[in-house]
Every structure is written in structure tokens, then in C-alpha cells.
Amino acid sequence: MNRLREHIRRNLIGSILVTYVQFTPLSSLSLSSNMASTASDVTQVQSNKTTRFTSVKALTESPELTSLPPSYTYTTNPDDEIVEDPHEDDPIPIIDYSLLVTGTRDQRAKALRDLDQACEDWGFFILINHSLSKGIMENMIDNVFAFFNLREEEKQEYAGKDVMDPIRYGTSSNVSMDKVLFWRDFLKIVVHPEFHSPHKPLGFREASAEYCRRTWKVGKELLKGISENLGLEGNYMENAMNLDSGFQMIAANLYPPCPQPELAMGIPPHSDHGLLNLLMQNGVSGLQVLHNGKWINVTSTADCFLVFVSDHLEVVSNGKYKSVLHRAVVSNKATRMSLAIVIAPSLETVVEPAKELLDNESNPAAYVGMKHRDYMQLQRSNRLNGKSVLDKVKI
């Protein structure tokens, strides 16, 4: 055990520099040989002139873009090439939020059983009839698009260098670690326990404050039902994970049209930190979740949430509920935008399996406890690759 803890400690690396993409005419692009230190550099010298792009959006708006730059060419693992639409005999679970909070006793009991099965079998479900109006959701989508449509120099004001920066704008995933760049730009904002917001565009602060307040309430209600399904007190997650000072973050992703989508990836297979992740998208498909060894295409309406079981819920449940692997593919037809809300323990909370669920003989602890803050730093210091970070805390 001590050796494992020391291994984890040594993996906690400090802050990571956010770099930028350099791009020139595609006919003569060459990839920098120093991939380890400058994973995002695509350089070519012609007439002593180099054009620099700091985002995929800016790259796609260049008239020079006719094919995919080599640094974005993503090789899919053969095991990851099985993609299907949901089957009628094994559909994506749908949970009716209204039955959890205002349903009759029998309706709530049925909704709890459905929630338990969804978390255990899929680690993922579609949430309908929640407490956010379509107008609030659409307003938030509009404001996120407005941010990404700001001038590049305005967005670069938030080009953070550390995972703990309260507002962080960037591209790809972790450009100092990525062997291949990913076809996305992102905006991440910490909104709880302290609320942060960019000062542009006008109206973003008000829209995001309302949206985050309401999604936080939805997340807490879901965790109440999940606690009960685990045989714990309904307020277990709220108390044990210190949700009064819990960590809530907006993670907005922009996936512009890609000239060769079959060669690129928006985000590779990964799971999320935190307890739950509530995601909505702008109606353009691209999300896939891994279920029974196959990638399942997920489509959704604009008024529902796509809910992911995340790493810390897997730890607390001692593996009963598994965090779901998911990825984002891109297209050449339309811009996709997704907006995720991370519901997570406080940064100072040591997340470990709930002691009430453990038995030294039949169900021993399967994970080492780790402070949430340290888990995030460990995640940031590793290349985005499946459950590679969660695997580091498995016993």
C-alpha cells in the first residue's frame, strides 16, 4: 500500500504550459520532431513567414485549410472501431427526473430502480423532465457560442496554464502531453463554491449563474437517489463529499467542421473526474459511449441532459457503478457544441470507498483514497487515455 501511495505521489506533476498551434500552407506542412516538449507545434518556414493559430476555430476559418494538418491525424485502435446505434433490445436508459422528486411512492421506487440499473449497466443515461426550462438551456448555448465567437485575442485573455485556474480557454486536451492534437477548443470555468465568469460576452455571467445554480440542484437530487440505491442515507453524498463546498465546473467544447473527419478525433476515449457529469449539446451528433465493448452513437433533444457516472462515483461505490468511457467524433458538415457540468466533491475531500459498503472478506476496498485536488493534478499531468488516471488509484 505504501509503495502505491508513493507511486501516486510521484505522479503529481505541477502546472502544464498551454501552447499554441502554428500553421502554414498545408501543401508543405511538416511535424516538429520534438513532440515531447512541443506537441502542438506544426511549423513550416516559407519566405520567413509563419502564421500562428491559437484555436481550431481560427484554423478552420483560414482559406488555406483544405486538408487535415498532420498533427491532428488520429489513429483509432482496432478495438475501438465497432460503432453502432442503440439497439431496441438494449436502449440507452432514460430517467424521468420529475418522478424522482415529485412522483408518487410507487413512481419514485420505479425511477430509483431504473436509475440503479442505468448506473450499473451503462454508467450513463438520458435525463428528461428536469427542472430547467428549454429557454434557460438555449440561452446558455447561445452565450457559449458567443464566447467562442469573440475575437481570438479576447479569448486568449483566459488562456490558463494550470488545471486549477478558475477560467481556462484552450485547444486540444493537454498539448504538452498529447501525441496527437484533438479537433476541439474548450472553455472551463469554476462556478462553485466560488462563482467565476468571463466578462465577455455581455450576458454570459447572468446566464451561466442561473444555469449552474439549477444544474447543481439537479445533480444533488440525483446523488440523493444514488445514495439510497447504494444502501446509504439519502444525504450521504452531500455530507461525505462536502457538497456545500463542492466543486462545480462548466466545461464547454467547440468542434468546428473538419475537412477530413475520418482522420481526426474531437476527444479520445476517457472518463471524467467528479461524481456526475451533466451534458447538453446543440443538436449536432458526435458523442459516443462505450457499452458492452461497442461504441454507441448518442443523439438527444435540446431539452434533455446526458448524464455520465464519473470516476469519483466509481470510487465511492467501490466499483459497483463504473465511470463510463466516452469520446467525441467530428464531422465536416456542422459545428458541434457540448456543454458539460461537473458535479464533484470539494477539492479538499479525500475520496475513498464508502466504509458502509466494505467488508474485508467479501468486498474489500478496491481504491486508495485521494484528495480531489490531487486527483485533478494527476489527471492534468497524464495524457488523456481511457481510465489511465483512475487505474492509478486502484488497489
Side-chain angles (χ1 to χ4, degrees), residues 12 163-164 190 192-193 216 240-243 245-249 272-276 310-313 315 342-352 368-380 389 393:
L12 298 176
V163 67
M164 304 313 298
V190 177
H192 193 275
W216 186 249
M241 298 295 102
N242 299 303
L243 291 186
S245 55
F247 184 83
Q248 184 187 19
M249 181 176 69
D272 300 318
H273 75 95
L275 298 164
L276 294 174
S310 299
D311 288 352
H312 286 123
L313 185 52
V315 172
V342 176
I343 308 292
S346 78
L347 293 177
E348 303 308 316
T349 296
V350 175
V351 182
E352 58 189 353
V368 174
M370 177 181 281
K371 188 179 290 188
H372 183 200
R373 181 187 300 275
D374 293 342
Y375 193 91
M376 287 186 66
Q377 291 286 8
L378 184 60
Q379 187 181 51
R380 182 59 181 162
V389 177
V393 300

Side-chain angles (χ1 to χ4, degrees), residues 103-254:
T104 66
R105 182 175 179 177
D106 289 344
Q107 287 174 330
R108 186 171 190 273
K110 172 64 163 57
L112 283 172
R113 290 194 299 272
D114 292 344
L115 178 62
D116 180 59
Q117 186 174 359
C119 290
E120 188 166 0
D121 294 348
W122 281 75
F124 174 77
F125 55 90
I126 298 173
L127 189 70
I128 62 172
N129 295 331
H130 49 74
S131 56
L132 278 77
S133 70
K134 188 175 181 180
I136 289 175
M137 299 177 77
E138 289 178 343
N139 186 40
M140 190 65 208
I141 289 282
D142 290 344
N143 274 278
V144 171
F145 266 121
F147 175 86
F148 283 118
N149 286 332
L150 293 174
R151 290 181 293 110
E152 202 61 33
E153 53 267 33
E154 293 179 292
K155 292 180 288 186
Q156 282 299 311
E157 179 182 342
Y158 303 105
K161 296 178 175 61
D162 188 87
V163 67
M164 304 313 298
D165 287 349
I167 305 176
R168 188 157 56 94
Y169 166 72
T171 191
S172 191
S173 174
N174 185 353
V175 291
S176 67
M177 301 291 293
D178 295 336
K179 293 182 179 180
V180 174
L181 296 178
F182 303 117
W183 198 261
R184 72 134 183 188
D185 299 329
F186 67 82
L187 172 66
K188 297 184 178 181
I189 311 170
V190 177
V191 293
H192 193 275
E194 183 179 353
F195 179 79
H196 300 273
S197 173
H199 61 271
K200 290 182 180 181
L202 185 66
F204 189 99
R205 172 179 288 272
E206 293 75 17
S208 59
E210 174 78 356
Y211 185 79
C212 293
R213 180 178 63 82
R214 290 178 178 269
T215 51
W216 186 249
K217 181 179 179 180
V218 170
K220 288 176 67 175
E221 286 290 343
L222 290 174
L223 289 171
K224 181 179 178 180
I226 287 170
S227 295
E228 294 178 32
N229 282 336
L230 289 171
L232 304 167
E233 295 291 333
N235 60 359
Y236 178 87
M237 293 291 178
E238 182 170 0
N239 294 336
M241 298 295 102
N242 299 303
L243 291 186
D244 282 347
S245 55
F247 184 83
Q248 184 187 19
M249 181 176 69
I250 291 174
N253 298 299
L254 187 78

